[in-house]
Amino acid sequence: MIKRILVANRGEIAVRVMRSCREMEITSIAVFSEADRTAKHVLYADEAYCIGPAASKESYLNIEKIIEVAKSCHADAIHPGYGFLSENATFARRCREEGITFIGPDPETMEAMGDKISARIKMIEAGVPVVPGTQDNLKSVEEAVELCNQIGYPVMLKASMGGGGKGMRLIHHADEVAEAYTTAKSESLSSFGDDTVYLEKFVEEPHHIEFQILGDKHGNVIHLCERECSVQRRNQKIVEESPSVFITPELRRDMGEKAVAAAKAVNYIGAGTIEFLVDKHRNYYFLEMNTRLQVEHPITEEVVGVDLVKEQIKVADGQVLQLRQEDIQQRGHAIECRICAEDTEMNFMPSPGVIKQITEPNGIGVRIDSYVYEGYEIPIYYDPMIGKLIVWATTREYAIERMRRVLHEYKLTGVKNNISYLRAIMDTPDFVEGHYDTGFIAKNGEVLQQCITRTSERAENIALIAAYMDYLMNLEENNSGLAADNRPISKWKEFGLHKGVLRI
C-alpha cells in the first residue's frame, strides 16, 4: 500500500495534494529549490528535502535528483502535480524502473497523447471528432501554404508537443504563413525541445470545453462532466466554471461518452482531461488530452463531490474505481478565478515581491487553494499564479454574486495582482449572461481596462483619505492638553466635510 508520497512540485498544487495525503494518513514528502526554503508546501509537508538551485531545470525538472531523494527517503510513490514533470514520459518511466509508483498514466499513454499529431490519429481511430487538419509534420513553408489553401483560412498552426499557448499561431491570410511557420517552430523548439508543427482549421467563436475523466488499472473509465474554460487571455485560462451554460444535457451526454471512448482508446489510468472545441452551432471537436490533474480541477470537485487527488492515489495503488457513471451528478454551480501576481496595467507582466498583507475571504461555499502568506516573497523564477479562488452556490447567478463578494474581501498588498481585473470580468454583461466564447477577453478588453483604471483611481482616493485621517490623529495627540471644547473635530466628520473632494 502507498504510505509515503513524494510531491514533485511546488506552490498551491503541492499543498493541495498534501492535504489529501494527510486526510488519508499518508506521509507527504516535499522537495524544494533553494528559492523555496520558506515556501508553504515545505512548511506543511511531513518531510522536506532541497533538490537544487532556484532554476527549474536544476531542481523541479531534475529527474535524477528527484528520483535520488525519493529512494533515499523510501517514498512509495511520486505525485507530479501539474506542470514541471507531470507529463514527462521519461520521468514516469524512471519511476517505474526504480520501483516507485508514478501517480498518473503509463509513460506509453503520455507519449501517445503528448504528441498532438499522434493524439489526433488515435482519436480518429476511436471515433472521436477532430478538427480538420494535417496528420503529419510540416516540412516547409511551401507545404504549409499549400495545405492552408486546401483547408481554408483561418487556420491554426500548432506545436505538436505544445501546451499553454506556446508554439501556436493564428493565420488569416497566405502572406502570414511564412512568419507564423518560422516563429512557431522556433518557439516550440525552445519551449519543448521539439520543432514539429501541424495545421488545424480554426474554429470560429469556439467554446473551450473540457471533460474530467478517471480510469483505473482494471479497464474502468468514467467522466465527471464538463468545465467551461473559455475566459482566456493569450490562450491562458483566467476564469473557469462548471457546469457550462452553453452545453445542453444531450450534448453533455454525447461528449461525455466520446471522452470516455478517448480515454479507453489509450488505456488511460488516473485523472486526466479530454479537451474539446465547440463551435457556435454546438459541433464539437477533440482538441487535446492532458495526462495529468488540471489547474481548474477544484470546480469539478465542488459540483460532483469527489476528491480527485484521493481517487488518483487509490487508482495508482491498484484499487478498483468505486465510482460508477450513474453515480456522477452535477450539483449546483462552481466558479474558479486564478489569482496571479501580475501587473494588469503593464500588459500583465509578472510582479514578484514580498506579500506585505493578505486577507483571504471566507464563508459558506468558499474555497482557496493557495500557498502564500504575509511576509512570503514570491520568487521571480516560477509561474506568477499565487492561488485559486473557488466558490460554489446552488445556481450560477448566486455563484457569480458570491464570487463578487469574495473578490471584494480578498486583500493583497506588496505585489501587483489581477484581483481588480477578475472583479471586472464578474461585472461584464457577456459573462453574467453566459453569452461568451474564447473571444471574450478580446471583445471586452476595452471595458475591462476601463474598470481597472477606475479601481486604480479609487485606491488612490482611499489612500489620500487614510493619509489625511492619520494626520488628524497625530494632530489630536499633539494637542491632547487642550480643553474639551477646543479638541480637534471627529475624523469621520472631517471626512464628511471633504467627501465632495475625495471621491470613493
Side-chain angles (χ1 to χ4, degrees):
M1 292 180 63
I2 293 175
K3 298 302 292 181
R4 294 172 61 81
I5 294 178
L6 184 148
V7 183
N9 217 298
R10 66 178 300 278
E12 58 84 18
I13 185 56
V15 176
R16 187 265 168 276
V17 171
M18 291 172 187
R19 283 174 172 155
S20 287
C21 287
R22 183 155 294 177
E23 290 182 12
M24 298 175 76
E25 298 184 345
I26 293 174
T27 299
S28 62
I29 302 162
V31 290
F32 62 94
S33 71
E34 292 173 359
D36 273 340
R37 285 187 178 275
T38 59
K40 189 172 181 178
H41 77 284
V42 178
L43 304 176
Y44 189 90
D46 297 306
E47 300 175 20
Y49 300 88
C50 184
I51 53 172
S56 298
K57 65 180 180 180
E58 298 179 55
S59 52
Y60 297 108
L61 293 175
N62 188 332
I63 292 176
E64 294 308 317
K65 183 63 178 178
I66 293 172
I67 293 290
E68 177 188 330
V69 170
K71 291 172 64 178
S72 66
C73 69
H74 306 291
D76 303 312
I78 291 179
H79 195 301
Y82 49 69
F84 291 133
L85 296 171
S86 62
E87 295 182 281
N88 188 302
T90 300
F91 182 48
R93 190 169 282 112
R94 285 289 292 117
C95 289
R96 187 166 64 187
E97 291 169 354
E98 296 295 340
I100 301 168
T101 299
F102 179 81
I103 300 178
D106 292 333
E108 292 77 17
T109 301
M110 283 190 187
E111 289 169 338
M113 300 309 289
D115 183 329
K116 290 181 174 53
I117 294 177
S118 170
R120 280 174 58 84
I121 295 171
K122 286 279 187 184
M123 293 303 101
I124 291 171
E125 293 173 350
V128 180
V130 301
V131 179
T134 60
Q135 313 302 329
D136 301 306
N137 175 29
L138 294 175
K139 302 295 193 302
S140 66
V141 172
E142 292 73 25
E143 180 188 21
V145 171
E146 181 180 350
L147 290 169
C148 284
N149 291 335
Q150 289 178 13
I151 295 171
Y153 297 95
V155 295
M156 186 69 82
L157 186 65
K158 292 184 174 183
S160 181
M161 301 302 292
K166 294 183 174 65
M168 186 182 295
R169 294 294 183 276
L170 178 59
I171 304 171
H172 290 94
H173 306 288
D175 55 9
E176 299 172 0
V177 176
E179 182 181 356
Y181 178 83
T182 303
T183 55
K185 285 179 73 70
S186 175
E187 187 172 286
S188 178
L189 184 63
S190 63
S191 298
F192 312 110
D194 186 307
D195 68 351
T196 305
V197 293
Y198 68 103
L199 288 167
E200 278 186 352
K201 174 68 177 175
F202 178 67
V203 180
E204 299 185 78
E205 298 182 36
H207 285 252
H208 187 134
I209 305 292
E210 58 189 32
F211 272 72
Q212 178 71 57
I213 55 102
L214 273 175
D216 65 17
K217 296 181 180 180
H218 307 278
N220 300 303
V221 180
I222 63 169
H223 73 82
L224 294 91
C225 301
E226 86 287 355
R227 298 184 287 254
E228 172 77 68
C229 305
S230 297
V231 180
Q232 303 178 6
R233 188 183 63 82
R234 298 174 186 167
N235 298 305
Q236 292 282 359
K237 302 164 189 172
I238 302 173
V239 175
E240 302 97 355
E241 60 179 314
S242 181
S244 167
V245 294
F246 184 69
I247 300 299
T248 64
E250 296 75 20
L251 185 58
R252 178 176 296 112
R253 188 180 310 112
D254 189 33
M255 291 178 71
E257 290 173 357
K258 289 297 192 296
V260 169
K264 286 185 174 181
V266 292
N267 302 312
Y268 197 82
I269 298 169
T273 305
I274 307 295
E275 300 198 353
F276 295 98
L277 287 181
V278 186
D279 69 20
K280 59 185 177 181
H281 303 295
R282 292 187 171 85
N283 299 306
Y284 66 92
Y285 308 96
F286 170 80
L287 177 63
E288 63 181 354
M289 181 179 194
N290 288 303
T291 54
R292 54 172 168 78
L293 199 65
Q294 291 279 91
V295 176
E296 56 274 20
H297 76 273
I299 54 175
T300 292
E301 294 182 324
E302 294 301 312
V303 296
V304 301
V306 174
D307 185 321
L308 290 170
V309 172
K310 287 184 180 179
E311 294 301 319
Q312 282 186 297
I313 295 170
K314 292 176 184 177
V315 164
D317 211 14
Q319 297 182 35
V320 177
L321 193 63
Q322 297 299 304
L323 297 167
R324 296 292 178 263
Q325 194 62 64
E326 56 268 24
D327 300 329
I328 304 303
Q329 300 291 331
Q330 290 170 305
R331 181 183 64 90
H333 200 94
I335 302 174
E336 174 181 289
C337 286
R338 302 190 186 194
I339 309 297
C340 299
E342 55 190 15
D343 190 342
T344 55
E345 296 185 80
M346 293 296 289
N347 200 28
F348 295 85
M349 286 289 291
S351 177
V354 177
I355 302 287
K356 293 182 178 179
Q357 180 269 337
I358 183 169
T359 301
E360 294 181 334
N362 54 35
I364 187 171
V366 180
R367 169 177 170 178
I368 299 173
D369 284 15
S370 182
Y371 75 102
V372 300
Y373 53 86
E374 288 186 6
Y376 175 71
E377 183 173 3
I378 298 174
I380 63 173
Y381 309 100
Y382 313 115
D383 187 281
M385 189 176 75
I386 58 180
K388 300 175 304 196
L389 185 56
I390 305 107
V391 300
W392 178 92
T394 53
T395 67
R396 184 174 188 268
E397 179 185 1
Y398 293 160
I400 291 174
E401 290 175 359
R402 183 160 290 161
M403 182 59 81
R404 287 174 180 154
R405 187 263 294 177
V406 296
L407 285 169
H408 178 76
E409 290 180 5
Y410 206 129
K411 308 299 180 186
L412 183 66
T413 63
V415 296
K416 299 281 188 179
N417 61 75
N418 67 332
I419 293 175
S420 62
Y421 190 79
L422 295 168
R423 287 180 194 152
I425 290 174
M426 291 300 120
D427 287 332
T428 304
D430 282 349
F431 181 82
V432 174
E433 295 164 9
H435 300 153
Y436 69 94
D437 51 44
T438 55
F440 170 79
I441 295 295
K443 179 181 176 181
N444 294 279
E446 186 175 337
V447 173
L448 293 171
Q449 200 61 46
Q450 288 174 354
C451 288
I452 293 170
T453 302
R454 287 197 298 270
T455 301
S456 178
E457 291 175 350
R458 180 177 183 272
E460 290 178 5
N461 287 330
I462 291 174
L464 285 171
I465 293 168
Y468 186 63
M469 290 180 68
D470 182 64
Y471 161 75
L472 290 174
M473 290 176 71
N474 290 329
L475 183 65
E476 182 174 18
E477 289 175 2
N478 293 332
N479 292 278
S480 58
L482 295 177
D485 56 351
N486 290 324
R487 283 180 299 186
I489 196 168
S490 159
K491 309 336 175 271
W492 295 110
K493 287 183 180 179
E494 191 71 40
F495 164 66
L497 292 173
H498 290 80
K499 65 181 179 181
V501 178
L502 298 178
R503 295 177 290 107
I504 297 182

